Amino acid sequence: SDIVTRIDYRAMMAHHQLHERDATVAAVRHESEIPFGVLDSDDSGKILGIQEKPRYTHHVSAGIYLLQSSIYRLAQAGVALDMPDLLRKALEANLEVGLFPIHEYWMDLGRPDDINKAQLDANVWKDGGLRRA
């Protein structure tokens, strides 16, 4: 496992069933800021506009998925397939793929600093409320 979370799995399942999705992807909001002025230009190099230190917000995959059998049928036995490619296949097949926003605690453990932060957070929650996904 490479994430820890306090996601409400029952709420995610209820959301998945309510919307009758073939796949539901848990998602967290991620903000990023470019610390410089961004230049919008055309192919000739003419500046069309300037955005000073723009901030972007996106939903990103939290690495938690609910999948119906319709999704599994898209995979071929013995052929490696990662989740983004499987979801792309589902979209190409016009299957229903939706997101479930996570508002609870979520932390990716892909970097040493993230692991250290999650350990500090776990010490704050003495009730053992962190759940691995």
Side-chain angles (χ1 to χ4, degrees):
S1 170
D2 64 350
I3 63 172
V4 288
T5 184
R6 293 180 65 104
I7 187 175
D8 183 343
Y9 291 107
R10 287 186 182 121
M12 183 177 177
M13 177 61 83
H15 179 85
H16 176 73
Q17 292 170 334
L18 175 69
H19 295 284
E20 299 179 348
R21 302 280 162 93
D22 295 288
T24 299
V25 180
V28 293
R29 289 174 54 95
H30 178 75
E31 289 189 4
S32 58
E33 181 179 323
I34 298 178
F36 310 103
V38 174
L39 304 175
D40 295 323
S41 62
D42 65 16
D43 291 339
S44 75
K46 178 182 176 183
I47 293 178
L48 305 173
I50 301 172
Q51 296 178 17
E52 187 60 30
K53 298 178 182 164
R55 178 177 291 277
Y56 300 99
T57 302
H58 302 279
H59 280 104
V60 299
S61 174
I64 303 168
Y65 311 91
L66 291 174
L67 306 174
Q68 297 298 117
S69 59
S70 55
I71 299 292
Y72 293 111
R73 286 189 212 106
L74 299 172
Q76 294 177 287
V79 177
L81 183 66
D82 64 14
M83 190 57 72
D85 286 338
L86 179 59
L87 293 173
R88 275 190 280 279
K89 283 181 169 252
L91 292 169
E92 290 167 4
N94 292 317
L95 296 178
E96 291 288 323
V97 179
L99 66 83
F100 174 76
I102 296 177
H103 303 289
E104 298 86 0
Y105 180 86
W106 176 88
M107 176 69 68
D108 180 271
L109 303 178
R111 299 173 296 194
D113 287 346
D114 298 331
I115 294 170
N116 293 335
K117 171 127 177 38
Q119 287 173 331
L120 291 172
D121 293 344
N123 288 334
V124 171
W125 296 323
K126 303 240 187 265
D127 66 349
L130 286 177
R131 293 188 286 273
R132 291 183 182 268

